[in-house]
Amino acid sequence: MRVVLGVSGGIAAYKAALLLRLLTEAGHEVTVVPTAAALRFVGEPTWAALSGRPVATDVWTSVHDVPHVRLGQEADLVVVAPATADLLARAAHGQADDLLTNTLLTARCPVLMAPAMHTEMWSHPATRANVALLRERGVSVLEPASGRLTGADTGPGRLPEPEEILDAALSLVAGEDRSSAVDTAARPDGLEDGGVSPAEAAAAQGSLLGRHVVVSAGGTREPLDPVRFLGNRSSGKQGYALAEVAAARGARVTLVSANAALPAPPGVDVVGVETALELQEAVRAAVPGADVVVMAAAVADFRPRDYQGSKIKKTHGPGQEASAPTIELVRNPDILAGLVAERGDDPAPLIVGFAAETGDDTGDVLTHARAKLERKGCDLLVANEVGRDVTFGKDDTLVHLLRPGTDETRTVGPATKVAVAGAVWDEVGQLLSARPHVGAGR
Ligand code: C5P
C-alpha cells in the first residue's frame, strides 16, 4: 500500500517513528510528511532514513512533481500521528498552508488521525467541534489514550501505542472503523446506509473482511532434467501485490507461489510450488470454502513429455558429434478453465483470470482479451498490455479490467502493481457484494 504518514508538531512525534517502522516492515511504501513544527521534535534525517524516501514539509520542494496534489491522490491510506490540536483545526477548516494539509485535501482514500495533546486542549470546545466536523466528513479520528502526558500531569491526550494505530489503520483500509463516536451515515468510505448490510457496503468498496481468497503468482517451471527447466519471465510481483492488498483489506489469503523470489507479504499463507501440475494441485486444495480465486500466475501451457533423471549430456561419448536433443512437449491442463468447469452453476468461488496480450493484425489488445474472457468463462479478466515496456518484472503496469456481459472496460495505469491490485479488489468487491460469504472467518 502507498501510505502517507503525516506527523504534526507534538512531543509524541517520536512515537510516529516507531509507527513508521511497523508500516515499512509490513511492506508498505510510506512517505512521511511532517509539519514544520514536527521537525523541531524529530528531524528530517530520521524520517528519511526510516522511510527510505524523500521527506518534504512545504509545497515548494520538487514542485515539478506537483507533490501537493500527487501525494494525496496516489495514497491508499493517510495516517496522521500525532495529530495536534492545531493540525485538527487546520484540517477541519480545509486550510492548505503546508504539504500535509494540502495532502489531506487531495486524498480520497481512508484517513486516520491519532490525536495527542494535553487534556485541556482535547476537551476544549474548539477541538471538540473540529473533531466532530472531521468525523462528520468521514475522517476516522481515534480517541487519545489516557495516561501520563508530557509533564507530570495525566489524563486523556496520550498518543495511542504505534501497534494500536497500525491496527486501526489496517482495519480502516479493510472497511472497519475503529475510532469511536463515528456516525455510520458518514463512514470514511463515504457510503450511505442505504439498506445494505455493513459487510455488503464494505465489500462494495473493496473490503475483503471475512473473505478467503486464493491467489496464484509467479511463473511455473517445467523441468527437463535435474538442472534445466522451461520457464517464463513472470516475477510474481503482481500476484504478491494482490495478496498483500487483500490481506490489508481484511481477507484470509492463500498465495500459491510459483518460483517467485519475493518476501512473503505479511499475514499471507504462502504455498510454494514449481510446476503447473503442482500449482493446480495447490490451488485445488485451497479452493474449497474460498470466496475468490485470482489466477495471476503465468502457467506453462506445455511441459516436456519426459523428465530425464540425470543431466542431458552435450555429447554421448568420446569422439561423438555434439547432438541437439529433440524435446517433445505435452499439454498442461488449463487450470483456470478447469476451475470454471468444476464450479459449474455454483456462484462461488468468484474466478479472476489474467491475460498478457498484445495487439496484432487480427485485433487490438481489447479484442483479444474479450475473446479470452469468453473462452475462459471467468468473472473478471485482467488483461496486461505487454510490449510497452510495462509488465514483466517491472513495478508499473497497465491493465484493462473486463467483465462478461458488458463492453464496459476499466483501464488502470500505468500504475504500480499495488495500485492495480487495489483496482482489481475494488472490482472483485463489487462483484462479491452481490454474493453470500463463503470463506471461513478468521
Ligand atoms: O490462455 P492464457 O495462458 O493467456 O490465459 C492466462 C490465464 O489463464 C491466467 O489467469 C493463467 O493463470 C491461467 N492459465 C491457467 N492454466 C494454464 C495456462 C494459463 O490457469 N495452463
Side-chain angles (χ1 to χ4, degrees), residues 5-8 10-26 30 32-34 38-39 41-52 55 79-82 159-163 165-166:
L5 175 60
V7 185
S8 55
I11 184 72
Y14 76 92
K15 283 197 190 170
L18 302 174
L19 174 61
L20 170 59
R21 197 65 199 242
L22 292 176
L23 283 162
T24 52
E25 274 174 5
V30 188
V32 184
V33 183
L39 292 180
F41 290 97
V42 180
E44 188 265 344
T46 301
W47 304 119
L50 288 179
S51 67
V55 171
V79 182
V80 184
L159 186 74
E161 291 310 308
E163 290 79 7
I165 301 174
L166 177 70

Side-chain angles (χ1 to χ4, degrees), residues 216 276 279 294-302 331-339 352-357 372 375-376 381:
S216 72
L279 191 137
V294 181
M295 285 292 298
V299 184
D301 290 318
F302 308 101
R331 279 202 81 93
N332 271 330
D334 187 323
I335 303 166
L336 178 65
L339 290 172
V352 182
F354 267 69
E357 295 290 346
K372 184 161 290 180
R375 257 199 328 274
K376 299 259 180 185
L381 189 82

Side-chain angles (χ1 to χ4, degrees), residues 355 357 364-374 381 383 400 402:
E357 295 290 346
D364 61 7
V365 172
L366 282 175
T367 316
H368 292 309
R370 199 152 289 289
K372 184 161 290 180
L373 175 65
E374 306 260 307
L381 189 82
H400 307 286
L402 289 82

Side-chain angles (χ1 to χ4, degrees), residues 240-372:
Y240 271 62
L242 282 156
E244 179 194 329
V245 173
R249 290 189 181 191
R252 179 159 80 84
V253 185
T254 307
L255 176 63
V256 179
S257 171
N259 313 297
L262 295 169
V268 168
D269 294 328
V270 182
V271 182
V273 296
E274 187 182 359
T275 66
L277 292 179
E278 286 169 9
L279 191 137
Q280 181 181 42
E281 198 183 319
V283 168
R284 274 194 172 155
V287 155
D291 295 280
V292 189
V293 183
V294 181
M295 285 292 298
V299 184
D301 290 318
F302 308 101
R303 65 177 181 278
R305 196 195 63 188
D306 302 310
Y307 171 73
Q308 306 291 331
S310 53
K311 189 180 169 192
I312 302 166
K313 302 285 182 294
K314 216 181 303 184
T315 56
H316 300 296
Q320 281 192 328
E321 287 271 308
S323 62
T326 302
I327 296 164
E328 199 176 324
L329 301 176
V330 292
R331 279 202 81 93
N332 271 330
D334 187 323
I335 303 166
L336 178 65
L339 290 172
V340 172
E342 280 158 31
R343 178 179 66 172
D345 292 333
D346 259 359
L350 194 135
I351 299 172
V352 182
F354 267 69
E357 295 290 346
T358 54
D360 59 22
D361 299 347
T362 61
D364 61 7
V365 172
L366 282 175
T367 316
H368 292 309
R370 199 152 289 289
K372 184 161 290 180

